Amino acid sequence: GMAPLAAMIPPPPPAHLSMRAEIEWLAGSADNARGVALALSSSLFIGASFIIKKKGLLMSVEKGGSSASAGGFSYLRQPVWWLGMLTMIGGESANFIAYAYAPAILVTPLGAATIAASAVFARFFLGEDMHICGIAGILLCTVGTVVLVRFAPEEAPVTSVEEVWSMAMQPVFRAYVCFVLSFTLALVYGAAPKYGKTHVVVYVAICSMIGSLSVMALRGIGIAAKLTMRGSDQLRKRETLFFILWVGCCIATQMNYLNKALDTFNTTMVSSVYYVFFTVCTVTASMIMYKDWENQTPGSIFWQVVALLVNVAGVHILSGTRDSAPGCRAGLRALLSRRKSEEKPEYTHLCACDDDAEQQQQQQQ
């Protein structure tokens, strides 16, 4: 009974390793270590960008400008807001490069660190309260991240963008693409007009499924860029150009329906549901196209699934208790109830930047 479980537990690291060697041991390879470092840096930058942009919006209103939700653009004259935008661009760039070094099953779930980082930064730099259950959520995200990195799969070596194209042309992956496109069209023209404004799942499902296709193409572009930097020009090939065009179309669709979701529903709800759906869709697409689990042991796959579930639980706890009244009981009620807590309506969550700015403007008037 204990033997199979013991086989799943990894041996301790060798003694007397440097810090860099320890990170590479934890991630399994130098490329995975680079991908992890870039993905975590991306999460910190994006999490910080939310706070910096919110600060810029509040400073704009304090100086008498119109809020963004009221149609104003005075925040564009705020250097702090532009600093937040540059921080976000830097974070997204690091995330893009991470896909060139590590598999999507490792990079995508690390997005949980963005939600955890934004909550921590909001506590220290904006003075926003952090629920006691939120601390538990951050700890879960940390544990899930460490376990996921330790049991991350090795990326199969790719020597040309044509290899990536042949993976995309596999019958099973083409079937997945056809399913995603047909199901998305059904949601866009069937479900969205009727249920889009009452069920958050509709818009988020569209974003997540199309987003999984964009990540597969982004990883292809990243691999092409990595190979080009190593002396094998892949960026001018037609396959790379097709991937770039495909990413542009996917991101345009993704952003359109993500904005609709954010305009219609609580931002905290959208971010947590989107994390779960997007991660599941992307991991599924990556398993089909890049065969991330093909050479993995059952023990590694088991711990990867456990890590993913722990991250999902951490994100749910962190997001679900952000609007809750203080205390463990209130937090548990907020997590178990589908209705938003009404005990503390004055609490404004992190991402409602425009609402905060508009309220301050009305108070000034």
Side-chain angles (χ1 to χ4, degrees):
M2 294 299 292
L5 183 61
M8 292 183 181
I9 300 173
H16 310 300
L17 287 180
S18 67
M19 182 177 291
R20 179 176 177 179
E22 282 189 10
I23 293 171
E24 289 184 6
W25 174 86
L26 181 65
S29 70
D31 273 1
N32 270 7
R34 291 189 190 100
V36 168
L38 286 163
L40 292 178
S41 299
S42 165
S43 296
L44 291 174
F45 273 85
I46 294 172
S49 75
F50 292 150
I51 309 305
I52 298 170
K53 287 200 293 183
K54 178 172 182 177
K55 198 80 173 174
L57 288 167
L58 295 175
M59 289 171 66
S60 171
V61 171
E62 285 172 4
K63 294 183 178 180
S66 299
S67 68
S69 60
F73 295 96
S74 57
Y75 59 86
L76 294 176
R77 296 193 295 270
Q78 273 297 325
V80 173
W81 186 89
W82 282 107
L83 177 61
M85 181 58 68
L86 289 173
T87 306
M88 175 167 278
I89 291 170
E92 294 292 355
S93 300
N95 195 53
F96 161 68
I97 300 170
Y99 283 110
Y101 288 100
I105 195 172
L106 173 59
V107 174
T108 304
L110 294 182
T114 297
I115 298 173
S118 63
V120 173
F121 289 147
R123 171 69 183 87
F124 286 102
F125 296 106
L126 293 176
E128 294 188 3
D129 294 332
M130 181 182 291
H131 201 279
I132 188 168
C133 292
I135 298 172
I138 289 173
L139 291 175
L140 282 175
C141 288
T142 304
V143 170
T145 296
V146 172
V147 173
L148 184 66
V149 170
R150 178 63 191 93
F151 292 94
E154 289 288 332
E155 184 181 29
V158 178
T159 57
S160 71
V161 75
E162 286 88 355
E163 285 185 46
V164 180
W165 181 260
S166 67
M167 294 176 190
M169 290 296 106
Q170 296 170 94
V172 179
F173 186 71
R174 282 194 286 181
Y176 175 79
V177 173
C178 290
F179 168 76
V180 165
L181 294 179
S182 57
F183 194 67
T184 299
L185 287 172
L187 288 175
V188 168
Y189 294 105
K194 293 181 181 178
Y195 307 110
K197 293 187 177 180
T198 54
H199 295 75
V200 68
V201 172
V202 176
Y203 290 147
V204 169
I206 295 171
C207 298
S208 302
M209 289 191 296
I210 294 296
S212 71
L213 298 183
S214 71
V215 167
M216 296 306 100
L218 267 176
R219 190 173 170 197
I221 297 168
I223 290 170
K226 182 175 71 173
L227 292 172
T228 300
M229 288 189 291
R230 291 178 177 175
S232 175
D233 188 7
Q234 305 288 314
L235 293 179
R236 298 179 187 177
K237 294 187 176 181
R238 61 186 180 184
E239 291 86 357
T240 306
L241 297 176
F242 179 84
F243 284 143
I244 292 171
L245 181 64
W246 182 260
V247 166
C249 294
C250 286
I251 289 179
T253 306
Q254 213 177 330
M255 289 300 102
N256 180 35
Y257 284 94
L258 185 58
N259 285 334
K260 287 186 178 184
L262 292 170
D263 282 344
T264 310
F265 301 99
N266 179 296
T267 308
T268 304
M269 181 195 298
V270 172
S271 63
S272 56
V273 174
Y274 179 63
Y275 170 79
V276 174
F277 272 67
F278 179 67
T279 300
V280 170
C281 289
T282 301
V283 168
T284 302
S286 187
M287 284 190 301
I288 295 171
M289 180 172 166
Y290 291 99
K291 296 182 171 58
D292 289 330
W293 282 356
E294 193 172 55
N295 299 315
Q296 292 294 290
T297 63
S300 292
I301 294 172
F302 169 78
W303 285 112
Q304 287 166 32
V305 172
V306 167
L308 180 58
L309 293 175
V310 169
N311 268 350
V312 167
V315 168
H316 176 63
I317 292 171
L318 189 58
S319 301
T321 58
R322 189 172 283 169
D323 295 328
S324 171
C328 290
R329 286 187 180 181
L332 287 173
R333 279 199 299 270
L335 289 170
L336 297 175
S337 173
R338 297 184 64 180
R339 295 175 300 174
K340 185 178 175 182
S341 172
E342 296 177 357
E343 296 179 77
K344 196 177 178 187
E346 72 277 9
Y347 183 79
T348 52
H349 51 74
L350 167 68
C351 297
C353 309
D354 296 345
D355 294 341
D356 291 349
E358 189 171 18
Q359 287 171 7
Q360 288 197 13
Q361 185 184 29
Q362 289 172 352
Q363 289 171 2
Q364 289 178 355
Q365 292 173 350

